[in-house]
């Protein structure tokens, strides 16, 4: 079986969908040892894909890192390339793909954010175009994978995909790799070891609501205000102007994209992970933080409750005062845990809360995700072969 995988979106800076591809694809090769995997890449992400891809890589040079050529490549180039390569099944793991029937095709629709998302007039125009392409790609696919029950409901409602063609396969949690001395990797970021750290991560798309997170921190009195570290965003981070305008220059650190080691170090020193997203398909950082025993405060929406369960804390992230108060409450709870850890009896046993967080997150397993994905790919290819026999 030859599986062609559309990685035209991969640039190394697109967050959750790229983590998904990096984690699943090597495991997919283990699940399907007799299958041949072939990747389609853009010219900007080609080298990054080759670092983890266990098979042949074909670069489609007209496609760059921008979303316009990615969308055009998905519509115009992917299907002919899959046909030339003799694909038994084409997998599009990042929401988009061809918009007409062709080779047997599976699309992973992580969410319906472009149907539900927010933003200004330009963003709404982009959302309309993008949502039409995503919906058309999903409706013309043989099978659709999505990552949560909430996402499946959104895909059915917004994209018109019948539920019998949707398979829910939850994402996994990335295994921790904590550095021995985390602070040694964070010196360059300017974080004060003497103050509690609230961590958040992600790109600067409107639905991430990181502006709302900064506004929430601004409502906390200065003498109790924690350090907020928000990775991602790059050199021209749009959050910088808001941070400075709110007078948070000494409390909000915007380090840009960090290395894997720096991210692990940030998890290791964080007292709290904050997820203020308005819309998500899954919420990978929530389970990654919990896997590392970091308490989580999330916006109170169904998908984040699905992922965080009863062990995360929730508050309305559209209300800065309410979310700011919830940050203080969560940090106070973390302080109580830290005090207990200092007790001689507590030191004799792992912290129960931390173990509970880790145990919950370990339910989300990339190996199981890859196995279920392999089943969908294989059954899709087999069904089309039977139909054409």
């Amino acid at each position: 079986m030859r599986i062609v995988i559309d990685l035209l979106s991969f640039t190394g800076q697109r967050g959750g969908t790229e983590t998904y591809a990096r984690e699943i694809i090597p495991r997919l090769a283990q699940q399907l040892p007799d299958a041949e995997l072939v990747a389609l890449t853009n010219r900007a992400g080609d080298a990054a894909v080759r670092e983890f891809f266990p098979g042949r890589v074909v670069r489609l040079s007209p496609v760059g890192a921008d979303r316009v050529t990615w969308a055009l490549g998905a519509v115009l180039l992917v299907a002919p390339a899959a046909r030339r390569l003799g694909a038994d099944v084409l997998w599009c793991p990042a929401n988009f793909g061809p918009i007409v029937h062709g080779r047997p095709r599976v699309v992973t629709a992580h969410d319906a954010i472009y149907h539900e998302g927010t933003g200004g007039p330009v963003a709404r125009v982009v959302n309309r175009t993008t949502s039409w392409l995503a919906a058309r790609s999903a409706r013309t696919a043989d099978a659709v994978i999505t990552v949560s029950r909430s996402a499946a409901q959104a895909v059915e409602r917004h994209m018109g995909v019948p539920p019998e063609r949707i398979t829910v396969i939850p994402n996994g949690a990335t295994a921790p790799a904590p550095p021995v001395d985390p602070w040694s990797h964070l010196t360059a970021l300017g974080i004060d070891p003497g103050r509690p750290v609230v961590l958040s991560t992600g790109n600067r798309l409107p639905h991430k609501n990181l502006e709302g997170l900064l506004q929430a921190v601004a409502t906390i009195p200065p003498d109790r205000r924690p350090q907020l570290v928000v990775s991602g965003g790059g050199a021209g981070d749009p959050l910088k102007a808001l941070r400075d305008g709110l007078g948070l220059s000494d409390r909000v650190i915007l380090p840009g994209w960090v290395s894997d080691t720096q991210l692990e170090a940030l998890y290791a020193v964080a007292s709290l992970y904050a997820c203020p997203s308005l819309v998500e398909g899954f919420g990978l950082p929530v389970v990654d933080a919990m896997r590392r025993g970091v308490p989580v405060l999330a916006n109170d929406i169904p998908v984040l409750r699905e992922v965080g369960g009863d062990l995360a804390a929730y508050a309305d992230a559209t209300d800065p005062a309410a979310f700011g108060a919830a940050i203080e409450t969560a940090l106070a709870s973390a302080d109580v845990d830290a005090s207990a850890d200092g007790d001689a009896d507590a030191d004799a046993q792992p912290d129960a809360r931390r173990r509970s967080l880790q145990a919950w997150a370990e339910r989300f397993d990339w190996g199981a995700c890859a196995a279920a994905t392999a089943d969908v790919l294989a059954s899709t290819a087999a069904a089309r072969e039977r139909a054409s026999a």
Side-chain angles (χ1 to χ4, degrees):
M1 180 170 61
R2 180 172 294 161
I3 304 171
V4 174
I5 304 176
D6 173 8
L7 294 178
L8 291 189
S9 67
F10 201 100
T11 64
Q13 294 189 340
R14 287 206 170 114
T17 58
E18 295 189 354
T19 299
Y20 175 81
R22 283 196 305 269
E23 293 289 347
I24 287 186
I25 291 172
R27 293 176 171 88
L28 191 66
Q30 297 168 6
Q31 293 291 330
L32 298 169
D34 296 330
E36 178 188 1
L37 306 185
V38 183
L40 303 177
T41 68
N42 64 65
R43 61 180 182 271
D46 183 79
V49 170
R50 291 177 189 273
E51 290 179 1
F52 70 86
F53 194 81
R56 180 182 172 194
V57 177
V58 176
R59 183 173 66 188
L60 301 186
S61 296
V63 181
D66 61 290
R67 293 177 182 272
V68 173
T69 57
W70 166 27
L72 289 173
V75 172
L76 301 175
L77 302 179
V78 167
R83 187 169 57 250
R84 287 195 306 272
L85 291 165
D88 293 298
V89 63
L90 168 65
W91 179 33
C92 302
N95 296 314
F96 300 101
I99 59 173
V100 295
H101 294 285
R103 309 296 293 186
R105 174 162 43 93
V106 176
V107 172
T108 299
H110 294 266
D111 49 57
I113 284 170
Y114 291 106
H115 296 76
E116 301 175 325
T118 59
V122 174
R124 287 195 292 271
V125 171
V126 172
N127 284 348
R128 281 197 294 271
T129 303
T130 308
S131 62
W132 184 86
L133 289 172
R136 179 71 184 173
S137 181
R139 284 200 300 268
T140 57
D142 295 77
V144 173
I145 293 170
T146 195
V147 294
S148 66
R149 295 190 303 274
S150 297
Q153 292 167 1
V155 168
E156 181 183 353
R157 181 170 67 253
H158 292 297
M159 299 186 186
V161 179
E164 61 270 18
R165 285 203 287 118
I166 302 173
T167 302
V168 176
I169 304 175
N171 288 334
T174 304
V180 174
D181 180 9
W183 285 111
S184 68
H185 300 279
L186 302 177
T187 303
L189 304 187
I191 303 172
D192 179 2
R195 299 194 68 88
V197 173
V198 176
L199 176 63
S200 195
T201 60
N203 56 41
R204 299 331 193 213
L205 293 174
H207 71 273
K208 295 294 185 182
N209 191 34
L210 293 170
E211 294 86 354
L213 178 57
L214 267 64
Q215 291 163 353
V217 169
T219 68
I220 301 174
D223 61 322
R224 302 199 302 267
R225 192 174 289 157
Q227 292 178 103
L228 174 64
V229 181
V230 189
S231 67
D237 195 331
L239 291 179
K240 288 180 179 178
L242 176 62
R243 176 195 64 183
D244 297 343
L246 291 170
L248 297 174
S249 300
D250 62 337
R251 285 291 183 268
V252 175
I253 297 166
L254 304 172
W257 295 101
V258 298
S259 69
D260 290 345
T261 300
Q262 285 176 316
L263 181 58
E264 288 288 350
L266 285 168
Y267 278 124
V269 304
S271 298
L272 179 70
Y273 185 89
C275 180
S277 291
L278 304 176
V279 184
E280 285 289 346
F282 185 78
L284 271 173
V286 169
V287 292
D288 281 346
M290 296 173 80
R291 180 77 183 268
R292 287 151 181 80
V294 181
V296 169
L297 171 65
N299 188 24
D300 196 357
I301 56 176
V303 65
L304 295 180
R305 281 193 174 270
E306 182 179 339
V307 171
D310 294 335
L311 293 174
Y314 304 93
D316 182 1
T318 65
D319 182 337
F323 209 68
I327 289 173
E328 284 207 90
T329 299
L331 288 173
S333 178
D335 284 342
V336 170
D337 285 346
S339 299
D341 283 344
D343 181 83
D345 292 335
D347 280 343
Q349 298 177 354
D351 173 61
R353 183 182 184 192
R354 184 181 183 88
R355 286 192 294 120
S356 296
L357 290 166
Q358 292 169 331
W360 172 266
E362 286 169 0
R363 298 166 65 251
F364 299 96
D365 178 70
W366 284 118
C369 181
T373 301
D375 288 344
V376 174
L377 293 170
S379 62
T380 300
R384 185 69 73 91
E385 184 177 352
R386 288 194 301 270
S388 61

